[in-house]
Amino acid sequence: MLPIFLKTLPFFALIGLGYWAGRSRFFSAEATAYLTKFVFYFALSAMLFRFSANLSLAEVWDTRLVVAYLWGTAFVYGIATLVGFLRGLDVQTTAVEAQCAVIGNAGFLGVPMLTLLLGPEAIGPIILALSTDLIVFSSLIVILITVARDGQPSLRIFLSIALGLLKNPMIVAITLGFLWSSLAIPIPAPMNEFLAILGGAATPGALFAIGASLALTQPDRLPIAGWLTFCKLVLHPLFVGFAALFLFVVDPFKAGVVIAAAALPVAGNVYMLAQHYGVAPARVSTAILMSTAISIVSVSLVVGWVSAF
């Protein structure tokens, strides 16, 4: 376990460095926002396109894996939703809390870290988990909040969701990459080098941006953040693991990758959604901060466990 922890430590050290830069005001909120944009729209997109363009969708797609990940994620989503309603929360706040319980930082943290720790073969399962989060659950929260406000579903909701997916650079990069791969066109050497250089900035840039963003957090409702952190770091990998290993009997290596992906801390895009809709943003940012801090140890434990599969 110690070697795994020492391998994950540099990733979290970069987050810590970003946190220091933000906390000390060496990095302003505006600088953090622009760094995040650079990573999101350019560096991470280049990395995902390059990965996808060198993979075959037929080789990556695994129905059992997707169903297992969906089942485990939906189960924890249901638990968080039930607890929210039992506490008397409205639909919008409950939807945001449920999102915190299941959406991990697979893009900024999972892709670079897990491919290094588990090997390049891990990228396929990670992309499937990331795509499921973006397409299914990021759409679900928009539907729930919009219907709760408007009183009924409308065509406008689904047009908004479709437009949001088309504008998401991670979805676009993955899709274009698989299209390129399906055409069996080799990536020209200069283009491949360009993507490698640009994509190489994704890991340090994303981790630094995570830390700098966390420095802006004002802790709020710690017991609730603690519950959401427990859902994300413990219940989510537990139920995904149960589904992948026992219910749907997924290939052990792929199962280990999605379990590790499920063990990642709460994603920053949940905060962006909460802030956009004005629903409990402080609660979400506290859950992100708490889950990221605890994941320094918990992710190492989970990766160490699944590495034995």
Side-chain angles (χ1 to χ4, degrees):
M1 203 65 68
L2 182 60
I4 297 293
F5 175 72
L6 293 177
K7 283 184 177 181
T8 61
L9 198 56
F11 291 90
F12 289 103
L14 276 168
I15 294 176
L17 183 64
Y19 184 85
W20 169 82
R23 200 71 179 171
S24 64
R25 305 301 180 193
F26 185 81
F27 239 61
S28 65
E30 185 179 18
T32 300
Y34 280 111
L35 175 61
T36 302
K37 279 187 177 182
F38 165 73
V39 173
F40 190 55
Y41 286 98
F42 297 99
L44 188 59
S45 297
M47 175 187 280
L48 289 172
F49 175 83
R50 187 164 175 259
F51 280 145
S52 303
N54 287 289
L55 294 170
S56 165
L57 182 58
E59 294 173 352
V60 171
W61 181 260
D62 188 324
T63 303
R64 283 178 176 269
L65 181 69
V66 173
V67 173
Y69 183 77
L70 264 175
W71 186 95
T73 303
F75 203 96
V76 178
Y77 194 98
I79 292 173
T81 299
L82 178 61
V83 170
F85 285 144
L86 289 174
R87 287 169 35 227
L89 300 180
D90 58 23
V91 171
Q92 298 177 62
T93 308
T94 300
V96 167
E97 287 197 359
Q99 198 81 353
C100 283
V102 299
I103 302 301
N105 210 332
F108 275 33
L109 182 59
V111 171
M113 185 171 72
L114 296 182
T115 50
L116 179 65
L117 295 175
L118 300 174
E121 302 84 3
I123 187 61
I126 295 170
I127 284 179
L128 286 181
L130 174 61
S131 300
T132 302
D133 286 343
L134 292 172
I135 295 171
V136 178
F137 293 98
S138 293
S139 300
L140 180 59
I141 188 173
V142 173
I143 292 171
L144 290 173
I145 290 177
T146 307
V147 169
R149 290 183 174 181
D150 295 350
Q152 60 181 0
S154 64
L155 181 61
R156 180 177 59 84
I157 299 175
F158 298 101
L159 288 175
S160 175
I161 290 170
L163 188 60
L165 291 174
L166 289 173
K167 287 183 176 180
N168 189 304
M170 289 192 286
I171 289 290
V172 172
I174 292 170
T175 303
L176 290 179
F178 280 126
L179 284 174
W180 189 287
S181 172
S182 67
L183 295 173
I185 304 173
I187 299 178
M191 178 181 175
N192 190 59
E193 193 65 25
F194 166 76
L195 292 171
I197 294 171
L198 183 56
T203 299
L207 298 174
F208 192 95
I210 291 170
S213 298
L214 291 176
L216 303 174
T217 300
Q218 296 297 325
D220 179 64
R221 304 203 178 194
L222 292 178
I224 297 173
W227 157 246
L228 297 176
T229 296
F230 176 75
C231 287
K232 187 67 205 69
L233 300 184
V234 179
L235 295 186
H236 194 203
L238 182 66
F239 281 99
V240 167
F242 176 73
L245 296 173
F246 300 104
L247 286 184
F248 301 98
V249 195
V250 176
D251 171 78
F253 176 77
K254 293 181 178 180
V257 174
V258 293
I259 291 169
L264 295 171
V266 182
N269 63 0
V270 182
Y271 173 75
M272 289 189 280
L273 282 168
Q275 191 175 48
H276 175 74
Y277 288 106
V279 182
R283 188 177 317 180
V284 174
S285 63
T286 305
I288 294 171
L289 178 62
M290 187 179 293
S291 63
T292 302
I294 295 174
S295 68
I296 297 173
V297 175
S298 64
V299 167
S300 300
L301 292 173
V302 173
V303 171
W305 173 53
V306 301
S307 295
F309 288 5

